[in-house]
Short mmCIF file of all heavy atoms in Angstrom, two decimals:
data_model
loop_
_atom_site.label_atom_id
_atom_site.label_comp_id
_atom_site.label_asym_id
_atom_site.label_seq_id
_atom_site.Cartn_x
_atom_site.Cartn_y
_atom_site.Cartn_z
N GLY A 1 188.06 23.39 -190.70
CA GLY A 1 187.97 23.79 -189.30
C GLY A 1 188.57 25.15 -189.08
O GLY A 1 189.30 25.68 -189.94
N PRO A 2 188.30 25.75 -187.94
CA PRO A 2 188.79 27.12 -187.68
C PRO A 2 190.28 27.17 -187.43
O PRO A 2 190.86 26.28 -186.83
CB PRO A 2 187.99 27.54 -186.43
CG PRO A 2 187.65 26.25 -185.75
CD PRO A 2 187.48 25.23 -186.83
N VAL A 3 190.87 28.26 -187.89
CA VAL A 3 192.29 28.56 -187.65
C VAL A 3 192.32 29.98 -187.08
O VAL A 3 191.80 30.92 -187.70
CB VAL A 3 193.13 28.48 -188.91
CG1 VAL A 3 194.58 28.85 -188.61
CG2 VAL A 3 193.04 27.10 -189.54
N GLU A 4 192.94 30.13 -185.91
CA GLU A 4 193.00 31.45 -185.27
C GLU A 4 194.46 31.88 -185.17
O GLU A 4 195.32 31.11 -184.77
CB GLU A 4 192.38 31.42 -183.89
CG GLU A 4 190.87 31.13 -183.92
CD GLU A 4 190.27 31.10 -182.53
OE1 GLU A 4 191.02 31.36 -181.55
OE2 GLU A 4 189.06 30.81 -182.41
N LEU A 5 194.70 33.14 -185.56
CA LEU A 5 196.04 33.72 -185.48
C LEU A 5 195.98 35.03 -184.69
O LEU A 5 194.98 35.75 -184.75
CB LEU A 5 196.61 33.99 -186.86
CG LEU A 5 196.76 32.81 -187.81
CD1 LEU A 5 195.58 32.78 -188.79
CD2 LEU A 5 198.06 32.91 -188.61
N ALA A 6 197.06 35.32 -183.99
CA ALA A 6 197.17 36.58 -183.25
C ALA A 6 198.56 37.13 -183.41
O ALA A 6 199.54 36.38 -183.55
CB ALA A 6 196.82 36.40 -181.78
N LYS A 7 198.67 38.46 -183.40
CA LYS A 7 199.97 39.11 -183.53
C LYS A 7 200.47 39.52 -182.15
O LYS A 7 199.77 40.23 -181.41
CB LYS A 7 199.86 40.30 -184.47
CG LYS A 7 201.21 40.94 -184.80
CD LYS A 7 201.15 41.80 -186.06
CE LYS A 7 200.19 42.95 -185.95
NZ LYS A 7 200.27 43.85 -187.12
N HIS A 8 201.68 39.07 -181.81
CA HIS A 8 202.30 39.41 -180.54
C HIS A 8 203.67 40.00 -180.81
O HIS A 8 204.52 39.36 -181.43
CB HIS A 8 202.45 38.17 -179.66
CG HIS A 8 201.15 37.48 -179.34
ND1 HIS A 8 200.24 38.01 -178.46
CD2 HIS A 8 200.63 36.30 -179.81
CE1 HIS A 8 199.21 37.17 -178.39
NE2 HIS A 8 199.40 36.16 -179.19
N ASP A 9 203.87 41.24 -180.35
CA ASP A 9 205.18 41.91 -180.52
C ASP A 9 205.61 41.93 -181.98
O ASP A 9 206.78 41.73 -182.31
CB ASP A 9 206.26 41.24 -179.65
CG ASP A 9 205.93 41.34 -178.18
OD1 ASP A 9 205.35 42.35 -177.76
OD2 ASP A 9 206.24 40.38 -177.43
N GLY A 10 204.63 42.12 -182.88
CA GLY A 10 204.94 42.22 -184.29
C GLY A 10 205.07 40.90 -185.03
O GLY A 10 205.26 40.91 -186.25
N ASN A 11 204.98 39.77 -184.33
CA ASN A 11 205.09 38.46 -184.96
C ASN A 11 203.76 37.70 -184.84
O ASN A 11 203.10 37.75 -183.79
CB ASN A 11 206.21 37.64 -184.32
CG ASN A 11 207.58 38.22 -184.64
OD1 ASN A 11 207.91 38.47 -185.79
ND2 ASN A 11 208.38 38.45 -183.59
N TRP A 12 203.42 36.98 -185.89
CA TRP A 12 202.17 36.23 -185.92
C TRP A 12 202.35 34.84 -185.31
O TRP A 12 203.38 34.20 -185.52
CB TRP A 12 201.65 36.11 -187.35
CG TRP A 12 201.03 37.39 -187.84
CD1 TRP A 12 201.64 38.37 -188.59
CD2 TRP A 12 199.70 37.83 -187.58
NE1 TRP A 12 200.76 39.38 -188.83
CE2 TRP A 12 199.56 39.09 -188.22
CE3 TRP A 12 198.62 37.30 -186.90
CZ2 TRP A 12 198.36 39.82 -188.18
CZ3 TRP A 12 197.42 38.01 -186.85
CH2 TRP A 12 197.31 39.28 -187.49
N GLN A 13 201.34 34.42 -184.55
CA GLN A 13 201.31 33.10 -183.93
C GLN A 13 199.99 32.42 -184.28
O GLN A 13 198.94 33.05 -184.33
CB GLN A 13 201.43 33.21 -182.40
CG GLN A 13 202.64 33.97 -181.88
CD GLN A 13 203.92 33.14 -182.05
OE1 GLN A 13 203.89 31.92 -181.99
NE2 GLN A 13 205.03 33.81 -182.22
N ILE A 14 200.09 31.13 -184.57
CA ILE A 14 198.86 30.33 -184.72
C ILE A 14 198.47 29.83 -183.34
O ILE A 14 199.27 29.21 -182.65
CB ILE A 14 199.09 29.15 -185.67
CG1 ILE A 14 199.45 29.65 -187.07
CG2 ILE A 14 197.85 28.26 -185.75
CD1 ILE A 14 199.84 28.57 -188.06
N GLU A 15 197.24 30.11 -182.94
CA GLU A 15 196.77 29.73 -181.59
C GLU A 15 195.77 28.59 -181.60
O GLU A 15 195.58 27.92 -180.58
CB GLU A 15 196.18 30.96 -180.90
CG GLU A 15 197.20 32.11 -180.74
CD GLU A 15 196.69 33.25 -179.91
OE1 GLU A 15 195.45 33.41 -179.81
OE2 GLU A 15 197.52 33.97 -179.32
N ARG A 16 195.15 28.37 -182.74
CA ARG A 16 194.17 27.29 -182.87
C ARG A 16 194.19 26.77 -184.27
O ARG A 16 194.33 27.58 -185.20
CB ARG A 16 192.77 27.83 -182.49
CG ARG A 16 191.66 26.80 -182.45
CD ARG A 16 190.35 27.46 -182.10
NE ARG A 16 189.25 26.50 -182.12
CZ ARG A 16 187.97 26.84 -182.11
NH1 ARG A 16 187.60 28.09 -182.09
NH2 ARG A 16 187.02 25.91 -182.12
N PRO A 17 194.12 25.49 -184.50
CA PRO A 17 193.78 24.38 -183.57
C PRO A 17 194.91 23.94 -182.65
O PRO A 17 194.69 23.23 -181.70
CB PRO A 17 193.38 23.26 -184.52
CG PRO A 17 194.18 23.52 -185.76
CD PRO A 17 194.24 25.02 -185.89
N SER A 18 196.15 24.36 -182.98
CA SER A 18 197.27 24.06 -182.09
C SER A 18 198.26 25.20 -182.20
O SER A 18 198.27 25.96 -183.18
CB SER A 18 197.94 22.72 -182.45
OG SER A 18 198.28 22.69 -183.81
N ALA A 19 199.09 25.34 -181.20
CA ALA A 19 200.02 26.49 -181.12
C ALA A 19 201.24 26.26 -182.00
O ALA A 19 201.91 25.23 -181.87
CB ALA A 19 200.42 26.74 -179.69
N HIS A 20 201.51 27.22 -182.87
CA HIS A 20 202.71 27.17 -183.74
C HIS A 20 203.15 28.60 -184.02
O HIS A 20 202.33 29.53 -184.03
CB HIS A 20 202.41 26.49 -185.08
CG HIS A 20 201.90 25.10 -184.97
ND1 HIS A 20 202.71 24.03 -184.64
CD2 HIS A 20 200.65 24.59 -185.14
CE1 HIS A 20 201.99 22.92 -184.64
NE2 HIS A 20 200.75 23.22 -184.94
N ARG A 21 204.41 28.74 -184.33
CA ARG A 21 204.86 30.00 -184.88
C ARG A 21 204.30 30.09 -186.29
O ARG A 21 204.30 29.13 -187.04
CB ARG A 21 206.38 30.05 -184.94
CG ARG A 21 207.07 30.19 -183.60
CD ARG A 21 208.57 30.28 -183.75
NE ARG A 21 209.11 29.09 -184.41
CZ ARG A 21 210.38 28.93 -184.72
NH1 ARG A 21 211.27 29.89 -184.46
NH2 ARG A 21 210.80 27.80 -185.31
N ALA A 22 203.80 31.28 -186.64
CA ALA A 22 203.29 31.49 -187.99
C ALA A 22 204.40 32.05 -188.87
O ALA A 22 205.37 32.63 -188.39
CB ALA A 22 202.10 32.43 -187.97
N ASP A 23 204.25 31.83 -190.16
CA ASP A 23 205.15 32.41 -191.14
C ASP A 23 204.68 33.82 -191.41
O ASP A 23 203.64 34.03 -192.05
CB ASP A 23 205.12 31.55 -192.42
CG ASP A 23 206.09 32.04 -193.48
OD1 ASP A 23 206.45 33.24 -193.48
OD2 ASP A 23 206.50 31.22 -194.32
N ASN A 24 205.43 34.81 -190.92
CA ASN A 24 205.00 36.21 -191.09
C ASN A 24 204.77 36.57 -192.52
O ASN A 24 203.85 37.33 -192.87
CB ASN A 24 206.04 37.14 -190.46
CG ASN A 24 206.00 37.12 -188.95
OD1 ASN A 24 204.96 36.92 -188.35
ND2 ASN A 24 207.15 37.33 -188.33
N ASN A 25 205.64 36.07 -193.43
CA ASN A 25 205.47 36.38 -194.85
C ASN A 25 204.19 35.80 -195.39
O ASN A 25 203.50 36.43 -196.21
CB ASN A 25 206.67 35.85 -195.64
CG ASN A 25 207.94 36.64 -195.36
OD1 ASN A 25 207.88 37.85 -195.05
ND2 ASN A 25 209.07 35.98 -195.46
N ALA A 26 203.83 34.57 -194.96
CA ALA A 26 202.61 33.94 -195.45
C ALA A 26 201.38 34.70 -194.95
O ALA A 26 200.39 34.86 -195.70
CB ALA A 26 202.56 32.49 -194.99
N VAL A 27 201.41 35.16 -193.72
CA VAL A 27 200.29 35.93 -193.17
C VAL A 27 200.17 37.27 -193.89
O VAL A 27 199.07 37.71 -194.24
CB VAL A 27 200.43 36.11 -191.64
CG1 VAL A 27 199.26 36.96 -191.12
CG2 VAL A 27 200.45 34.77 -190.94
N ARG A 28 201.30 37.92 -194.11
CA ARG A 28 201.29 39.18 -194.84
C ARG A 28 200.73 38.99 -196.26
O ARG A 28 200.00 39.85 -196.77
CB ARG A 28 202.67 39.80 -194.89
CG ARG A 28 203.08 40.50 -193.58
CD ARG A 28 204.30 41.37 -193.79
NE ARG A 28 205.51 40.58 -193.95
CZ ARG A 28 206.32 40.24 -192.97
NH1 ARG A 28 206.08 40.65 -191.74
NH2 ARG A 28 207.40 39.53 -193.20
N ALA A 29 201.07 37.88 -196.90
CA ALA A 29 200.55 37.60 -198.24
C ALA A 29 199.05 37.41 -198.22
O ALA A 29 198.34 37.86 -199.13
CB ALA A 29 201.25 36.35 -198.82
N LEU A 30 198.54 36.74 -197.18
CA LEU A 30 197.09 36.56 -197.04
C LEU A 30 196.40 37.92 -196.88
O LEU A 30 195.40 38.20 -197.55
CB LEU A 30 196.78 35.66 -195.86
CG LEU A 30 195.30 35.52 -195.47
CD1 LEU A 30 194.51 34.89 -196.61
CD2 LEU A 30 195.15 34.71 -194.20
N LEU A 31 196.93 38.77 -196.00
CA LEU A 31 196.34 40.09 -195.80
C LEU A 31 196.40 40.91 -197.08
O LEU A 31 195.48 41.67 -197.41
CB LEU A 31 197.05 40.81 -194.66
CG LEU A 31 196.81 40.24 -193.25
CD1 LEU A 31 197.71 40.99 -192.24
CD2 LEU A 31 195.35 40.37 -192.86
N SER A 32 197.51 40.78 -197.80
CA SER A 32 197.64 41.51 -199.07
C SER A 32 196.59 41.05 -200.09
O SER A 32 195.99 41.85 -200.81
CB SER A 32 199.04 41.31 -199.64
OG SER A 32 199.18 41.95 -200.89
N SER A 33 196.34 39.73 -200.12
CA SER A 33 195.33 39.20 -201.02
C SER A 33 193.94 39.73 -200.69
O SER A 33 193.15 40.07 -201.58
CB SER A 33 195.31 37.66 -200.96
OG SER A 33 196.54 37.12 -201.43
N ILE A 34 193.63 39.84 -199.40
CA ILE A 34 192.35 40.36 -198.98
C ILE A 34 192.23 41.84 -199.32
O ILE A 34 191.21 42.30 -199.86
CB ILE A 34 192.15 40.14 -197.44
CG1 ILE A 34 192.15 38.64 -197.13
CG2 ILE A 34 190.87 40.80 -196.97
CD1 ILE A 34 192.20 38.33 -195.65
N ARG A 35 193.27 42.59 -199.00
CA ARG A 35 193.26 44.03 -199.23
C ARG A 35 193.15 44.37 -200.73
O ARG A 35 192.53 45.35 -201.12
CB ARG A 35 194.52 44.68 -198.66
CG ARG A 35 194.71 46.12 -198.99
CD ARG A 35 195.88 46.74 -198.21
NE ARG A 35 197.02 45.87 -198.09
CZ ARG A 35 197.95 45.68 -199.00
NH1 ARG A 35 197.85 46.33 -200.17
NH2 ARG A 35 198.97 44.89 -198.78
N ASN A 36 193.77 43.56 -201.56
CA ASN A 36 193.81 43.83 -203.02
C ASN A 36 192.66 43.21 -203.77
O ASN A 36 192.63 43.30 -205.01
CB ASN A 36 195.13 43.33 -203.60
CG ASN A 36 196.32 44.18 -203.15
OD1 ASN A 36 196.22 45.42 -203.11
ND2 ASN A 36 197.43 43.56 -202.80
#
């Protein structure tokens, strides 16, 4: 299922399927994997 994240004030938040604080390091690792 879909997972949506948004960055607010420099910190990542999970907005869907439910609201949670995201692990900034985990999101950065995902972006690094895509970029590399």
Side-chain angles (χ1 to χ4, degrees):
V3 178
E4 295 180 4
L5 301 98
K7 186 161 61 173
H8 301 287
D9 298 326
N11 291 309
W12 284 96
Q13 304 286 330
I14 297 174
E15 299 188 336
R16 185 181 177 194
S18 53
H20 302 286
R21 289 182 301 178
D23 183 335
N24 286 329
N25 289 331
V27 178
R28 281 194 288 265
L30 172 63
L31 290 174
S32 177
S33 295
I34 297 169
R35 173 172 40 82
N36 289 318

